[in-house]
Amino acid sequence: MAIANYLYLSAILFTIGAIGVVVRRNAIVVFMCIELMLNAANLAFVTFARINGNLDGQVVAFFTMVVAACEVVVGLAIIVTIYRSRRSASVDDASLLKL
């Protein structure tokens, strides 16, 4: 399989994730789309590491996965807080948490 195909796949996945973030209003779906975008970036990092023949892209992809895991923990905590107070997981309800 050609290396360029991995980059095409990465671009397609990133585009799908970006469209999902812009279009959707459910917080869970928005977080899934953000994770899709991060995985697309990881695929591009690993592909460029493979092209260059070094491990730098794989190290960056590992740290990106760590950041993504932390983002999920904090994001889901915020979503659960919004859901408990408003009984809705809509992104529009996030502004209602202001004091």
Side-chain angles (χ1 to χ4, degrees):
M1 190 169 180
I3 298 287
N5 291 340
Y6 292 111
L7 293 176
Y8 294 142
L9 177 63
S10 174
I12 290 169
L13 290 175
F14 192 87
T15 304
I16 291 170
I19 290 171
V21 168
V22 171
V23 172
R24 295 298 188 159
R25 290 285 157 217
N26 189 349
I28 301 292
V29 176
V30 169
F31 274 118
M32 287 191 316
C33 291
I34 290 172
E35 291 296 322
L36 187 64
M37 291 168 58
L38 288 172
N39 285 329
N42 284 340
L43 180 60
F45 286 141
V46 171
T47 302
F48 284 125
R50 171 89 184 229
I51 290 171
N52 294 329
N54 58 15
L55 295 176
D56 293 342
Q58 294 178 359
V59 171
V60 172
F62 175 74
F63 283 117
T64 305
M65 285 189 272
V66 170
V67 169
C70 296
E71 176 256 339
V72 166
V73 169
V74 172
L76 287 178
I78 292 170
I79 290 171
V80 167
T81 303
I82 292 171
Y83 184 77
R84 283 184 180 172
S85 65
R86 302 289 178 205
R87 294 290 179 215
S88 172
S90 176
V91 177
D92 298 329
D93 291 341
S95 65
L96 298 174
L97 290 178
K98 295 179 184 176
L99 294 176

